[in-house]
Amino acid sequence: MTDLPAVLFVCVRNGGKSQMAAGLMRQAADDRVEVHSAGTDPGETINALSAHALAESGADISGESPKSINPELLRRVDLVVTLGRDARVDAGDTEVRNWDTDEPSARGIEGLDRMRLIRDDIAARVDDLLAELTGPSPNP
């Protein structure tokens, strides 16, 4: 067990948004937050465009793979964040928040441009959550 705040990011396939959130949190938190990601119905691979858009910001999720929610981990984390509208998690007494993230495809924006907008939306939310969990960054 750790004294660090622990967060589990969840989306349906665990190949895009939740992996992006976890990668961005790991990058921003600098070991001040225990970070996990999972899917309610995990896919087979990481979304290549998600990984590319994230790499542009300096975060690397290329070594990750989609995984399902571990019930033991779910009981242990301090917060579960679902991303998008479709992921549903019964986390018992653990707080669950939903980030209804930007969906550029609803505006006809696709491909890497879509992923960059999603990345930027998630990054802003990660920054806010990090500040909430740990206080101001030691490196402003």
Side-chain angles (χ1 to χ4, degrees):
M1 194 98 176
T2 177
D3 291 333
L4 298 175
V7 178
L8 172 62
F9 293 102
V10 177
C11 65
V12 174
R13 305 300 282 169
N14 190 226
K17 292 178 181 181
S18 58
Q19 290 282 358
M20 292 174 84
L24 289 163
M25 180 61 85
R26 284 186 196 104
Q27 179 185 43
D30 196 28
D31 296 326
R32 294 180 292 149
V33 175
E34 181 184 333
V35 181
H36 304 275
S37 73
T40 57
D41 182 22
E44 297 294 319
T45 61
I46 298 295
N47 179 302
L49 290 176
S50 294
H52 183 95
L54 210 54
E56 291 178 346
S57 70
D60 182 11
I61 60 169
S62 63
E64 297 292 330
S65 60
K67 52 202 150 299
S68 59
I69 297 171
N70 177 314
E72 182 180 316
L73 176 65
L74 187 60
R75 286 188 296 275
R76 189 173 60 76
V77 296
D78 300 299
L79 176 66
V80 174
V81 177
T82 59
L83 289 97
R85 296 178 182 169
D86 297 327
R88 302 281 186 268
V89 177
D90 180 1
D93 293 334
T94 302
E95 180 183 359
V96 178
R97 295 184 194 173
N98 177 258
W99 290 353
D100 190 6
T101 52
D102 184 24
E103 189 41 72
S105 62
R107 301 186 305 275
I109 302 169
E110 297 293 339
L112 190 53
D113 289 336
R114 172 182 175 259
M115 283 301 150
R116 287 176 177 140
L117 291 168
I118 292 170
R119 174 202 62 205
D120 294 347
D121 178 31
I122 293 172
R125 294 168 190 259
V126 162
D127 288 344
D128 290 345
L129 179 59
L130 178 60
E132 176 188 332
L133 295 173
T134 65
S137 172
N139 303 317

